[in-house]
Amino acid sequence: MTSAAERPLLFLDVDGPLIPFGSPNAPPQAAALPARPGGNPLLDRLDPGIGPRLLALGCTLVWATTWTQDANETVAPLLGLPRLPVVQWPATDPGDGPRGLHWKTRALVEWADGRPFVWLDDEITAMDHTWVTAQHPGRSLLHRVDPARGLADTDFHAVTGWLATVDIDVS
């Protein structure tokens, strides 16, 4: 059995992948959480079934979101996730780096420090793929999630398919 330090990282964004931006009247994929009076109405869009599915991937989950520690305080309990590490975003100038590079990309590659990683986000671009390929010595899967629907079966299939190709035992 491998240690958690050897498992691929899974960088997880909240807005878009976990809280879809699609119509709130659209039929849910799974049983949605009941509305909470006085709470953030977007949290009602979280699918509580996503947490166990993320944990089952066998990756080291890391929040890669502007929610920062609020993801641990608010989102994690609603999904049944434990407290997760949180990427701390450095102050960056939008003009830093090549045009089209997402402001998160460099920080995630630095955090990964050569380890294999998956990045689930709704704002990943072709430039991010190009930059990570050139700058990250380890394996990576940058997977863009449709923000209208959030994480879906097709996204989990893409991640599990990629994990099957990584030469690491995540059991």
Side-chain angles (χ1 to χ4, degrees), residues 22-86:
S23 167
N25 298 323
Q29 295 180 33
L33 297 165
R36 286 167 300 288
N40 180 334
L42 294 179
L43 292 174
D44 296 338
R45 296 179 181 195
L46 288 169
D47 176 352
I50 294 288
R53 292 184 77 182
L54 288 167
L55 291 170
L57 293 171
C59 296
T60 299
L61 302 177
V62 179
W63 292 121
T65 174
T66 57
W67 283 67
T68 60
Q69 283 298 337
D70 287 340
N72 276 324
E73 303 303 322
T74 306
V75 178
L78 295 172
L79 296 178
L81 295 174
R83 291 187 69 80
L84 304 176
V86 178

Side-chain angles (χ1 to χ4, degrees), residues 8-25:
L9 298 165
L10 191 150
F11 295 116
L12 185 59
D13 185 29
V14 172
D15 294 315
L18 296 180
I19 298 176
F21 298 130
S23 167
N25 298 323

